[in-house]
mmCIF file with all atom_site columns, all heavy atoms in Angstrom:
data_model
loop_
_atom_site.group_PDB
_atom_site.id
_atom_site.type_symbol
_atom_site.label_atom_id
_atom_site.label_alt_id
_atom_site.label_comp_id
_atom_site.label_asym_id
_atom_site.label_entity_id
_atom_site.label_seq_id
_atom_site.pdbx_PDB_ins_code
_atom_site.Cartn_x
_atom_site.Cartn_y
_atom_site.Cartn_z
_atom_site.occupancy
_atom_site.B_iso_or_equiv
_atom_site.pdbx_formal_charge
_atom_site.auth_seq_id
_atom_site.auth_comp_id
_atom_site.auth_asym_id
_atom_site.auth_atom_id
_atom_site.pdbx_PDB_model_num
ATOM 1  N N   . PRO A 1 5  ? -5.352 67.448 32.084 1.00 0.00 ? 227 PRO A N   1
ATOM 2  C CA  . PRO A 1 5  ? -5.164 66.739 33.357 1.00 0.00 ? 227 PRO A CA  1
ATOM 3  C C   . PRO A 1 5  ? -6.203 67.182 34.389 1.00 0.00 ? 227 PRO A C   1
ATOM 4  O O   . PRO A 1 5  ? -6.689 68.297 34.360 1.00 0.00 ? 227 PRO A O   1
ATOM 5  C CB  . PRO A 1 5  ? -3.762 67.126 33.795 1.00 0.00 ? 227 PRO A CB  1
ATOM 6  C CG  . PRO A 1 5  ? -3.448 68.391 33.066 1.00 0.00 ? 227 PRO A CG  1
ATOM 7  C CD  . PRO A 1 5  ? -4.272 68.377 31.805 1.00 0.00 ? 227 PRO A CD  1
ATOM 8  N N   . VAL A 1 6  ? -6.530 66.280 35.289 1.00 0.00 ? 228 VAL A N   1
ATOM 9  C CA  . VAL A 1 6  ? -7.455 66.594 36.374 1.00 0.00 ? 228 VAL A CA  1
ATOM 10 C C   . VAL A 1 6  ? -6.770 67.581 37.311 1.00 0.00 ? 228 VAL A C   1
ATOM 11 O O   . VAL A 1 6  ? -5.615 67.408 37.679 1.00 0.00 ? 228 VAL A O   1
ATOM 12 C CB  . VAL A 1 6  ? -7.851 65.308 37.145 1.00 0.00 ? 228 VAL A CB  1
ATOM 13 C CG1 . VAL A 1 6  ? -8.720 65.652 38.336 1.00 0.00 ? 228 VAL A CG1 1
ATOM 14 C CG2 . VAL A 1 6  ? -8.541 64.335 36.212 1.00 0.00 ? 228 VAL A CG2 1
ATOM 15 N N   . LYS A 1 7  ? -7.504 68.607 37.667 1.00 0.00 ? 229 LYS A N   1
ATOM 16 C CA  . LYS A 1 7  ? -6.932 69.635 38.546 1.00 0.00 ? 229 LYS A CA  1
ATOM 17 C C   . LYS A 1 7  ? -7.378 69.374 39.981 1.00 0.00 ? 229 LYS A C   1
ATOM 18 O O   . LYS A 1 7  ? -8.526 69.046 40.232 1.00 0.00 ? 229 LYS A O   1
ATOM 19 C CB  . LYS A 1 7  ? -7.373 71.015 38.091 1.00 0.00 ? 229 LYS A CB  1
ATOM 20 C CG  . LYS A 1 7  ? -6.844 71.333 36.704 1.00 0.00 ? 229 LYS A CG  1
ATOM 21 C CD  . LYS A 1 7  ? -7.180 72.734 36.316 1.00 0.00 ? 229 LYS A CD  1
ATOM 22 C CE  . LYS A 1 7  ? -6.628 72.972 34.920 1.00 0.00 ? 229 LYS A CE  1
ATOM 23 N NZ  . LYS A 1 7  ? -6.286 74.332 34.712 1.00 0.00 ? 229 LYS A NZ  1
ATOM 24 N N   . ASP A 1 8  ? -6.438 69.522 40.878 1.00 0.00 ? 230 ASP A N   1
ATOM 25 C CA  . ASP A 1 8  ? -6.761 69.285 42.288 1.00 0.00 ? 230 ASP A CA  1
ATOM 26 C C   . ASP A 1 8  ? -6.967 70.581 43.070 1.00 0.00 ? 230 ASP A C   1
ATOM 27 O O   . ASP A 1 8  ? -7.210 70.569 44.261 1.00 0.00 ? 230 ASP A O   1
ATOM 28 C CB  . ASP A 1 8  ? -5.685 68.425 42.954 1.00 0.00 ? 230 ASP A CB  1
ATOM 29 C CG  . ASP A 1 8  ? -4.317 69.094 43.000 1.00 0.00 ? 230 ASP A CG  1
ATOM 30 O OD1 . ASP A 1 8  ? -4.212 70.272 42.627 1.00 0.00 ? 230 ASP A OD1 1
ATOM 31 O OD2 . ASP A 1 8  ? -3.363 68.431 43.419 1.00 0.00 ? 230 ASP A OD2 1
ATOM 32 N N   . GLY A 1 9  ? -6.842 71.709 42.411 1.00 0.00 ? 231 GLY A N   1
ATOM 33 C CA  . GLY A 1 9  ? -7.062 72.987 43.077 1.00 0.00 ? 231 GLY A CA  1
ATOM 34 C C   . GLY A 1 9  ? -5.793 73.654 43.550 1.00 0.00 ? 231 GLY A C   1
ATOM 35 O O   . GLY A 1 9  ? -5.755 74.856 43.747 1.00 0.00 ? 231 GLY A O   1
ATOM 36 N N   . PHE A 1 10 ? -4.714 72.904 43.725 1.00 0.00 ? 232 PHE A N   1
ATOM 37 C CA  . PHE A 1 10 ? -3.491 73.485 44.255 1.00 0.00 ? 232 PHE A CA  1
ATOM 38 C C   . PHE A 1 10 ? -2.727 74.304 43.220 1.00 0.00 ? 232 PHE A C   1
ATOM 39 O O   . PHE A 1 10 ? -1.864 75.083 43.574 1.00 0.00 ? 232 PHE A O   1
ATOM 40 C CB  . PHE A 1 10 ? -2.585 72.410 44.857 1.00 0.00 ? 232 PHE A CB  1
ATOM 41 C CG  . PHE A 1 10 ? -3.111 71.912 46.162 1.00 0.00 ? 232 PHE A CG  1
ATOM 42 C CD1 . PHE A 1 10 ? -3.767 70.705 46.253 1.00 0.00 ? 232 PHE A CD1 1
ATOM 43 C CD2 . PHE A 1 10 ? -2.989 72.671 47.310 1.00 0.00 ? 232 PHE A CD2 1
ATOM 44 C CE1 . PHE A 1 10 ? -4.278 70.255 47.448 1.00 0.00 ? 232 PHE A CE1 1
ATOM 45 C CE2 . PHE A 1 10 ? -3.496 72.236 48.515 1.00 0.00 ? 232 PHE A CE2 1
ATOM 46 C CZ  . PHE A 1 10 ? -4.149 71.019 48.591 1.00 0.00 ? 232 PHE A CZ  1
ATOM 47 N N   . GLU A 1 11 ? -3.060 74.135 41.958 1.00 0.00 ? 233 GLU A N   1
ATOM 48 C CA  . GLU A 1 11 ? -2.377 74.911 40.929 1.00 0.00 ? 233 GLU A CA  1
ATOM 49 C C   . GLU A 1 11 ? -2.985 76.309 40.789 1.00 0.00 ? 233 GLU A C   1
ATOM 50 O O   . GLU A 1 11 ? -2.461 77.150 40.087 1.00 0.00 ? 233 GLU A O   1
ATOM 51 C CB  . GLU A 1 11 ? -2.428 74.182 39.578 1.00 0.00 ? 233 GLU A CB  1
ATOM 52 C CG  . GLU A 1 11 ? -3.793 74.164 38.927 1.00 0.00 ? 233 GLU A CG  1
ATOM 53 C CD  . GLU A 1 11 ? -4.782 73.212 39.590 1.00 0.00 ? 233 GLU A CD  1
ATOM 54 O OE1 . GLU A 1 11 ? -4.364 72.312 40.341 1.00 0.00 ? 233 GLU A OE1 1
ATOM 55 O OE2 . GLU A 1 11 ? -5.979 73.374 39.369 1.00 0.00 ? 233 GLU A OE2 1
ATOM 56 N N   . LEU A 1 12 ? -4.075 76.583 41.486 1.00 0.00 ? 234 LEU A N   1
ATOM 57 C CA  . LEU A 1 12 ? -4.759 77.853 41.311 1.00 0.00 ? 234 LEU A CA  1
ATOM 58 C C   . LEU A 1 12 ? -3.992 79.034 41.885 1.00 0.00 ? 234 LEU A C   1
ATOM 59 O O   . LEU A 1 12 ? -3.950 80.089 41.299 1.00 0.00 ? 234 LEU A O   1
ATOM 60 C CB  . LEU A 1 12 ? -6.157 77.792 41.940 1.00 0.00 ? 234 LEU A CB  1
ATOM 61 C CG  . LEU A 1 12 ? -7.115 76.781 41.307 1.00 0.00 ? 234 LEU A CG  1
ATOM 62 C CD1 . LEU A 1 12 ? -8.426 76.761 42.064 1.00 0.00 ? 234 LEU A CD1 1
ATOM 63 C CD2 . LEU A 1 12 ? -7.339 77.125 39.844 1.00 0.00 ? 234 LEU A CD2 1
#
Side-chain angles (χ1 to χ4, degrees):
V228 175
K229 296 185 180 209
D230 64 6
F232 286 102
E233 71 286 342
L234 297 177

